[in-house]
Amino acid sequence: MKAVAATTREGIIYAIASYGMTFFRLGIAFFIGVSFLVKASDVKLIAVAGTLLIVGFDYYDGELFKKSFLINSKKWRVNRRILDSVIDRLVIHVICLSVLIVDSHFLPFYLPIILREVVLSTYLSIKFKQGLLIYPGPIAKLACAFVGFNGIAYLITSSLTTICFTVSMMCMSALAFREYFKLSKGYREGRIEATLNAGIEEI
């Protein structure tokens, strides 16, 4: 993970901003979820705006962390990646389950999201247990954003448009899986001598 930390003072500010954005994403998700459950007025507008904020923060919290003073610590990098992954999963399912509770027609569009999450999370968990922490590449990040776009499409567009977004999301997720696989395969081929006893390796 190539990044250069800012000065000490700036590095601290970047670290606080990064973690603030990470947890704020979860707060937004719960706010959206509660809005659906209480059937708040303008709930769709709240959900669309909130989802766009979440997608934006999901990108920028990682970029800010790369500029923080914590980037030089492997322990913090690993823990930050695990936390970010957990928050991502919570954000997705808090919102989706809330929508499903008030609208059962969302189920056919939620199932592909569940499938995506199970496949990718299982693969990354297996690799982590094998000593590899794989960071998402450009395709994986875009595929994650498509989950949010898929939800927005369901809320404000037609079923046909949502189906198109769902298919696009699954195609992007398949490409993301391929990206993770190639990173893992390429790393292991280039580091045959690496062992699990060496600790977590970041790729």
Side-chain angles (χ1 to χ4, degrees):
M1 187 176 184
K2 298 180 180 180
V4 178
T7 62
T8 302
R9 184 177 179 181
E10 291 177 335
I12 293 174
I13 294 174
Y14 282 129
I16 293 173
S18 173
Y19 276 92
M21 281 189 174
T22 299
F23 285 105
F24 193 52
R25 285 191 286 127
L26 184 58
I28 294 174
F30 275 109
F31 181 74
I32 293 173
V34 171
S35 297
F36 272 107
L37 295 178
V38 301
K39 299 180 179 180
S41 59
D42 297 323
V43 64
K44 290 186 178 181
L45 177 61
I46 292 172
V48 171
T51 300
L52 290 175
L53 280 175
I54 288 171
V55 171
F57 285 170
D58 188 33
Y59 173 79
Y60 281 108
D61 63 358
E63 293 302 305
L64 290 175
F65 182 78
K66 292 177 184 178
K67 297 180 180 180
S68 76
F69 74 103
L70 298 174
I71 193 64
N72 295 320
S73 169
K74 181 177 181 178
K75 178 180 178 181
W76 277 100
R77 290 196 307 270
V78 171
N79 289 337
R80 169 67 174 68
R81 175 58 192 146
I82 294 173
L83 173 66
D84 188 66
S85 181
V86 171
I87 294 293
D88 281 345
R89 307 287 82 76
L90 286 174
V91 165
I92 290 171
H93 295 296
V94 163
I95 297 175
C96 287
L97 285 173
S98 300
V99 175
L100 183 63
I101 289 173
V102 299
D103 182 6
S104 60
H105 295 98
F106 181 61
L107 181 60
F109 301 103
Y110 183 31
L111 291 177
I113 295 175
I114 294 176
L115 175 62
R116 172 195 185 278
E117 293 300 308
V118 169
V119 172
L120 291 180
S121 297
T122 299
Y123 179 76
L124 294 175
S125 296
I126 291 173
K127 289 302 172 182
F128 185 75
K129 289 181 180 179
Q130 293 175 349
L132 287 179
L133 177 63
I134 308 176
Y135 288 89
I139 296 176
K141 291 180 180 179
L142 183 58
C144 187
F146 258 82
V147 176
F149 299 151
N150 187 53
I152 291 174
Y154 178 79
L155 293 174
I156 64 175
T157 66
S158 65
S159 296
L160 179 59
T161 302
T162 307
I163 290 173
C164 292
F165 268 92
T166 301
V167 172
S168 298
M169 179 195 70
M170 296 307 292
C171 290
M172 290 298 301
S173 298
L175 291 174
F177 182 87
R178 181 172 177 268
E179 184 178 58
Y180 284 128
F181 180 80
K182 289 179 67 176
L183 283 171
S184 174
K185 186 173 183 292
Y187 179 83
R188 281 308 189 191
E189 288 178 349
R191 291 286 302 277
I192 299 176
E193 74 280 5
T195 64
L196 297 182
N197 293 329
I200 298 297
E201 295 289 339
E202 303 167 86
I203 59 174

